[in-house]
Amino acid sequence: MTDQPKTPTAQLEWSLYVYCPKCELANDLADTQHDTEHDIARHIFSNEWDKLRGWEVTCEGCGHEFKIEKVEY
């Protein structure tokens, strides 16, 4: 039996952080708490970042509601 070299599988891990303007907590918008319908992921991976302008976020720490100005990297 010959040893076949293992072929690894790549794993994509992503995050999209926005800081709450009230308590400054970093909210990961890639988390299912913020992206229940996967709309954020779809816009990011379809290169439609502008569709997230004005996206409403509720801070997971203090409950403050605010909107995203833009997404940048």
Side-chain angles (χ1 to χ4, degrees), residues 10-24:
Q11 290 185 314
L12 173 67
E13 294 185 30
W14 80 286
S15 57
L16 181 65
Y17 288 101
V18 62
Y19 291 89
C20 174
K22 183 175 181 184
C23 74
E24 299 183 5

Side-chain angles (χ1 to χ4, degrees), residues 1 11 16 27 32 40 48 53-54 62 70 72:
M1 188 187 294
Q11 290 185 314
L16 181 65
N27 289 262
T32 55
I40 294 172
E48 299 174 330
R53 186 180 304 269
C62 71
K70 63 182 177 180
E72 62 181 32

Side-chain angles (χ1 to χ4, degrees), residues 28-42 55:
D28 184 1
L29 302 184
D31 186 7
T32 55
Q33 173 182 338
H34 293 284
D35 198 14
T36 57
E37 300 294 321
H38 307 292
D39 292 327
I40 294 172
R42 186 174 54 254
W55 193 270

